[in-house]
Amino acid sequence: MGYVNDYANLLTPNEKHHMDWLLKTFSRESRTDTIIIIVKDSGDLTPEQYAYWLFNCWKLRRLGRTGFLILVSLKERRVETEIGFGFEKIFSEADAENLLDHILIPHFKKGWYGSGLLHAVRELTKSLYQKTGMAHA
């Protein structure tokens, strides 16, 4: 498991590398894990169920850490998020919805998946650095 997991081969190597670097840097500095998972479909589960299952299966609620997961399921045309309890203190459900509504979904509607995710990761890490008072990398 990396920070960016593209099982649908949607991202360019440069997009994936840049997002991975941003998320890895913030994770190292903040003890939080933000994971992006892109799949062709969510199988027998709904995308919401699959995101919840992945969040728990990948143990994003480890001791002393907290996490945030973004799942993109292409066939169902869905983006789902899961937010760990500790993560909600710095990034709420409303913040996640804002990220989806104002950045991801408009980009995705134009077919700009990689740039939409990269822009969302930039905005997410910028917001998290501001909210935690940490110096931006």
Side-chain angles (χ1 to χ4, degrees):
M1 166 186 74
Y3 293 95
V4 180
N5 303 273
D6 182 9
Y7 299 111
N9 297 314
L10 191 65
L11 304 174
T12 67
N14 189 47
E15 290 166 337
K16 183 177 179 190
H17 175 75
H18 195 145
M19 283 184 266
D20 195 65
W21 180 83
L22 288 168
L23 296 173
K24 184 186 301 181
T25 301
F26 185 76
S27 175
R28 187 176 52 245
E29 295 171 355
S30 67
R31 298 187 48 81
T32 64
D33 294 314
T34 299
I35 306 296
I36 296 173
I37 303 169
I38 305 166
V39 296
K40 292 178 183 173
D41 64 63
S42 60
D44 293 333
L45 302 173
T46 67
E48 184 177 13
Q49 293 168 328
Y50 193 48
Y52 179 81
W53 180 80
L54 285 169
F55 189 85
N56 290 293
C57 181
W58 285 10
K59 299 182 178 25
L60 292 177
R61 290 186 174 122
R62 294 182 306 221
L63 184 63
R65 296 186 73 86
T66 187
F68 178 59
L69 179 137
I70 299 172
L71 171 71
V72 178
S73 185
L74 296 176
K75 181 180 175 187
E76 294 89 352
R77 298 175 52 105
R78 298 286 305 164
V79 180
E80 299 291 340
T81 60
E82 283 293 325
I83 303 174
F85 295 117
F87 204 89
E88 286 179 336
K89 295 175 185 173
I90 57 172
F91 198 77
S92 68
E93 285 285 340
D95 292 327
E97 289 299 321
N98 189 47
L99 190 71
L100 296 180
D101 292 344
H102 297 287
I103 297 174
L104 278 178
I105 293 172
H107 278 80
F108 284 12
K109 283 183 177 180
K110 295 176 182 174
W112 303 342
Y113 295 98
S115 65
L117 282 165
L118 182 55
H119 186 67
V121 167
R122 285 182 182 140
E123 287 300 312
L124 172 66
T125 55
K126 177 182 169 184
S127 173
L128 294 173
Y129 277 111
Q130 289 172 346
K131 289 180 179 193
T132 60
M134 293 173 24
H136 196 290

